[in-house]
Amino acid sequence: IGHSMGGVLVRDFILQHPDTWRKLNDSRQFRLVFLGSPLGGSFRIPAVLFGRDAIIDKLAKIDLRHTKKQLLDIFCRFPGLLSLLPLNTDLDNDFARELTWKRMAEAIGDATWPLPIRKGNELDWFQQYREAIIQKSADIDFSNAVYIAGKHKPTLWLPHRRNGPRQRIGFSEHRRRRSKCYLGNRYSESHDRK
């Protein structure tokens, strides 16, 4: 079971050790559950790095030595935090681009805000990390994996097939708060109870 960032670590393990993953995946009765793992990244991370998250406010209150900006200057260099950035590649939301960060800093009205772009090669690292995920993820056999995602109060899950025999894991919500689950050849439908 890979919960939250644990699922990101499992995904990264799968990408870095494909032979071990194949052996595990071929094992009898092996199953993997991703439980609320931000496999596509999280838009909460840019909010954290701009100090717009409750966890940063709490950390700033208990750290008597550093200001909020100083803490964020440290945090924006953590690969573990940067690895949770959204994996988008469209020009307006590409977090590997310096321009995206500068536009966000302008939007909050503080061009001196500590960002990954001021520290060195953090954005280059993130771009290489993201490209490796995008490139290698298409070849992962998720046939023994289930993704469970939470959304507010109901928990809906939808692993499904796209583009041929390989399973890609996605999430969608249908009218009347209904979700459909396709796993291998099986189909099930779940309804949230009020």
Side-chain angles (χ1 to χ4, degrees), residues 17-149:
H17 304 282
D19 293 335
T20 304
W21 170 247
R22 267 191 292 294
K23 287 177 187 175
L24 282 171
N25 211 23
D26 291 342
S27 301
R28 190 170 182 237
Q29 297 183 344
F30 173 77
R31 299 291 178 269
L32 171 62
V33 176
F34 289 106
L35 188 58
S37 300
L39 299 178
S42 171
F43 280 94
R44 181 178 181 191
I45 302 308
V48 166
L49 292 176
F50 275 98
R52 306 278 198 231
D53 191 85
I55 190 75
I56 295 301
D57 293 333
K58 290 175 186 173
L59 288 171
K61 286 178 184 175
I62 62 171
D63 187 329
L64 303 176
R65 188 175 187 177
H66 299 94
T67 66
K68 186 183 206 178
K69 273 188 173 181
Q70 289 171 329
L71 285 172
L72 291 168
D73 190 45
I74 296 166
F75 295 157
C76 74
R77 290 178 267 163
F78 287 173
L81 192 57
L82 297 176
S83 70
L84 294 173
L85 284 168
L87 301 179
N88 300 32
T89 57
D90 62 285
L91 292 179
D92 291 331
N93 297 296
D94 184 349
F95 291 96
R97 292 180 64 221
E98 187 174 325
L99 181 60
T100 302
W101 291 97
K102 286 182 176 180
R103 282 194 343 243
M104 290 189 303
E106 287 173 15
I108 67 164
D110 189 349
T112 65
W113 200 258
L115 300 172
I117 59 175
R118 293 194 175 81
K119 295 297 143 200
N121 65 355
E122 284 83 2
L123 294 184
D124 292 336
W125 176 89
F126 171 68
Q127 183 172 13
Q128 291 171 3
Y129 173 80
R130 179 190 65 194
E131 297 307 318
I133 290 169
I134 292 169
Q135 184 179 50
K136 294 177 182 179
S137 289
D139 296 328
I140 297 174
D141 177 8
F142 282 118
S143 60
N144 291 321
V146 174
Y147 186 89
I148 301 173

